[in-house]
């Protein structure tokens, strides 16, 4: 694994210490009993930081949704009779991936919210996470970048901002890029610019790391069509900026803008603003 880092900029001591441990050339174990990985869907853990999971000792892994949209279209497209069967298959796949990555069952939490439903419950999720973090002594979270790739990803990113607010700013949040709309179509694995700038690290994976990540992707067999389009040899991390609840990511250029009724930017922004008010924002 080789490491590329940017200049130090606006990084909290807790986040900087964690990023430095991840980037250490010895590639040793990283103490992570104080940390949680909070992602929207089964398979997001493998996309965002799959090669690092064996290194993150005592990490808590939290999946917000069960990966099964309730309209049943995704389930039928993948050969399942209904969302419940699809969710059960995704849970089995996720358990296989986390076992391969060395994450013990006691460190796995599945919250079970509906896939594509997280924008509706941003404030409730923020409170749920803040309570979980207090119970488990978690002071640092890894999560999605706010980038307009998937509404659940963006809603989870804002929920972590809300949880940080509820903890009085004591929660450090580190984000990972997934995918967003670029000038020529979808782009994966790179950050959009942060304001103010944040130092990012890029971990270029060696063949052993890539083989592990390929195994994790293979465990999520129902998602092969998506996973096979994503880069595998690079993982990026940076401390999350204070993402606003009253502005869409990527200047409103959202990959999910045209998904259908209730999933576009106007609806997401209204839900985000409502969550902001519910969490004591302006």
């Amino acid at each position: 694994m080789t490491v590329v880092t940017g200049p130090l900029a606006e990084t909290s001591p807790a986040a900087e210490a964690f990023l430095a441990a991840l980037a250490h050339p010895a590639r040793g174990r990283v103490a992570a009993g104080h940390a949680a990985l909070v992602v929207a869907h089964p398979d997001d853990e493998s996309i965002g930081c799959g090669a690092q999971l064996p290194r993150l000792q005592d990490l808590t892994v939290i999946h917000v949704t069960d990966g099964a949209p309730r309209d049943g279209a995704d389930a039928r497209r993948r050969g399942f009779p209904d969302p419940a069967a699809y969710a059960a298959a995704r849970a089995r796949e996720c358990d296989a991936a986390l076992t391969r990555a060395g994450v013990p069952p006691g460190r796995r939490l599945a919250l079970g919210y509906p896939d594509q439903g997280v924008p509706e419950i941003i404030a409730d999720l923020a409170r749920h996470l803040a309570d979980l973090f207090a119970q488990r002594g978690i002071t640092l979270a890894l999560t999605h970048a706010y980038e307009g790739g998937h509404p659940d990803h963006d809603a989870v990113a804002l929920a972590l901002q809300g949880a940080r607010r509820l903890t009085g700013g004591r929660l450090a949040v580190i984000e990972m890029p997934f995918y967003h709309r670029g000038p020529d179509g979808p782009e994966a694995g790179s950050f959009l610019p942060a304001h103010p700038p944040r130092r990012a690290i890029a971990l270029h994976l060696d063949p052993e790391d890539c083989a592990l990540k390929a195994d994790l992707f293979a465990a999520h067999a129902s998602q092969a069509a998506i996973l096979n389009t994503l880069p595998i040899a690079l993982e990026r991390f940076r401390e999350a900026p204070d993402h606003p609840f009253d502005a869409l990511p990527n200047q409103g250029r959202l990959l999910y803008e045209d998904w259908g009724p209730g999933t576009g930017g106007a609806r997401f922004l209204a839900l985000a603003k409502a969550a902001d008010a519910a969490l004591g924002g302006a």
Side-chain angles (χ1 to χ4, degrees):
M1 180 181 71
T2 58
V3 181
V4 177
T5 64
L8 182 64
E10 297 291 333
T11 308
S12 71
E16 176 60 24
F18 192 83
L19 292 173
L22 272 183
H24 195 281
R27 203 180 62 174
R29 299 294 294 274
V30 176
H34 67 303
L37 172 66
V38 184
V39 289
H41 312 109
D43 80 354
D44 287 339
E45 80 295 328
S46 299
I47 297 169
C49 61
Q52 311 313 313
L53 290 176
R55 301 178 58 206
L56 297 174
Q57 189 169 12
D58 297 324
L59 176 74
T60 296
V61 178
I62 301 173
H63 289 93
V64 173
T65 81
D66 60 10
R70 296 305 190 259
D71 65 5
D74 280 9
R76 292 189 296 272
R77 188 162 50 248
R78 289 169 170 82
F80 296 95
D82 53 45
Y86 184 35
R90 296 205 69 179
R92 291 191 297 270
E93 292 171 352
C94 193
D95 282 343
L98 292 176
T99 297
R100 174 68 180 87
V103 179
R107 288 285 173 177
R108 310 172 193 172
L109 292 175
L111 304 187
Y113 290 107
D115 191 308
Q116 298 182 22
V118 186
E120 305 281 345
I121 48 93
I122 294 171
D124 287 345
L125 178 59
R127 297 186 189 101
H128 191 169
L129 292 172
D131 288 344
L132 282 173
F133 296 163
Q135 294 164 14
R136 291 177 170 251
I138 290 168
T139 57
L140 182 144
L142 294 91
T143 195
H144 298 277
Y146 189 55
E147 58 187 350
H150 191 292
D152 287 345
H153 294 185
D154 291 342
V156 169
L158 290 185
L160 265 296
Q161 295 290 327
R164 185 175 187 276
R165 183 185 297 175
L166 293 171
T167 63
R170 294 184 296 276
L171 178 71
V173 181
I174 291 175
E175 63 183 11
M176 307 168 293
F178 284 71
Y179 41 83
H180 59 264
R181 188 186 296 278
D184 301 313
E187 296 180 354
S190 62
F191 283 118
L192 295 169
H195 304 288
R198 299 281 182 172
R199 186 171 81 87
I201 65 170
L203 307 184
H204 294 263
L205 308 183
D206 62 22
E208 181 181 353
D209 295 323
C210 288
L212 168 63
K213 193 158 182 172
D215 284 350
L216 301 184
F217 278 19
H220 292 285
S222 70
Q223 306 307 301
I226 297 171
L227 294 174
N228 289 342
T229 70
L230 300 178
I232 204 168
L234 183 68
E235 294 179 348
R236 298 181 190 268
F237 306 86
R238 73 179 178 193
E239 187 174 23
D242 291 326
H243 296 303
F245 285 69
D246 61 353
L248 291 170
N250 200 16
Q251 299 179 322
R253 297 188 294 268
L254 311 177
L255 285 177
Y256 52 89
E257 180 64 54
D258 302 322
W259 281 13
T263 57
R267 177 63 174 159
F268 186 92
L269 190 57
L271 293 169
K273 289 179 178 179
D276 187 31
L279 292 167

